[in-house]
Amino acid sequence: MPSIIEPAKSGRAACRTCKEPIAKGELRLGVEAPNMFGDDGAVSYQWHHLACGAKKKPVQLKEAMASFTGEIPGRADLEKALDEAGAKAKPAKFPYAELASTGRARCQECEEPLEKGKLRVAIEREVETGSFVTKGAGYLHPRCAKAHVGDPDLLSKIQANSLGLTPAHLEELGKELA
């Protein structure tokens, strides 16, 4: 989903990260989100201070900064914060690969546990919460991912979307997906 940077039109919006108001005229990051109360396909923006966005939404802020044509006050500080937060951030696009942070998740294909610290592939899946359906990450063993997804170009998509994986991890991932 595209993200934007724009001056706040009023002082009514609050930052989704720190909950403080965003002053009128101050540059803000808008992250596009589905609008549950609108018609199908309706979207709205979730607003963040640029500094807050650098910490919590680094991928979206980096994309928005690349397309913003105006001057951004404190750009060097924001870029430094982006570099620090980017290593910890989850990718914005599916599919991607990462090291499992816990051992609680189960593979969507074989239903075996995904071991903590081992490579896993994240795909987008629909999650039913009872009152509505939302989208979230579903995890797979790399060896199960190709059969589950059925995309012959899966490895290149994962490599393009994965952040923070070493070349050794990417090589291991390529072997397991083959």
Side-chain angles (χ1 to χ4, degrees):
M1 295 182 153
S3 299
I4 61 168
I5 294 176
E6 70 173 26
K9 295 175 183 156
S10 70
R12 295 188 314 258
C15 175
R16 286 297 201 114
T17 303
C18 72
K19 310 299 183 216
E20 295 295 318
I22 302 172
K24 182 177 180 176
E26 180 182 354
L27 287 181
R28 62 187 180 174
L29 169 67
V31 178
E32 197 173 274
N35 185 348
M36 295 187 305
F37 302 106
D39 296 332
D40 278 345
V43 295
S44 62
Y45 285 99
Q46 296 177 345
W47 300 107
H48 303 268
H49 292 108
L50 293 183
C52 294
K55 294 175 189 166
K56 295 292 183 182
K57 302 284 184 184
V59 174
Q60 292 88 340
L61 180 58
K62 192 174 255 185
E63 289 174 0
M65 285 175 66
S67 63
F68 185 68
T69 57
E71 187 175 326
I72 299 174
R75 187 179 190 108
D77 292 335
L78 283 174
E79 288 176 351
K80 183 179 177 187
L82 284 173
D83 290 340
E84 292 171 4
K88 301 175 198 171
K90 293 264 186 199
K93 296 179 183 175
F94 290 102
Y96 63 86
E98 65 181 0
L99 299 177
S101 56
T102 69
R104 296 184 307 226
R106 292 192 171 273
C107 178
Q108 296 287 303
E109 179 74 13
C110 68
E111 299 183 10
E112 293 178 16
L114 293 158
E115 193 176 330
K116 181 179 179 175
K118 298 289 184 178
L119 280 172
R120 67 181 180 185
V121 174
I123 58 168
E124 187 172 41
R125 67 181 181 123
E126 289 187 348
V127 180
E128 192 163 332
T129 63
S131 57
F132 63 93
V133 177
T134 187
K135 294 187 180 197
Y139 299 106
L140 300 159
H141 290 108
R143 67 180 183 271
C144 299
K146 197 167 191 176
H148 186 81
V149 175
D151 185 353
D153 200 27
L154 181 63
L155 179 59
S156 64
K157 289 178 182 176
I158 290 172
Q159 288 173 332
N161 297 337
S162 298
L163 305 171
L165 289 183
T166 65
H169 287 131
L170 292 172
E171 184 179 330
E172 178 184 343
L173 184 66
K175 288 178 184 175
E176 289 191 45
L177 284 171

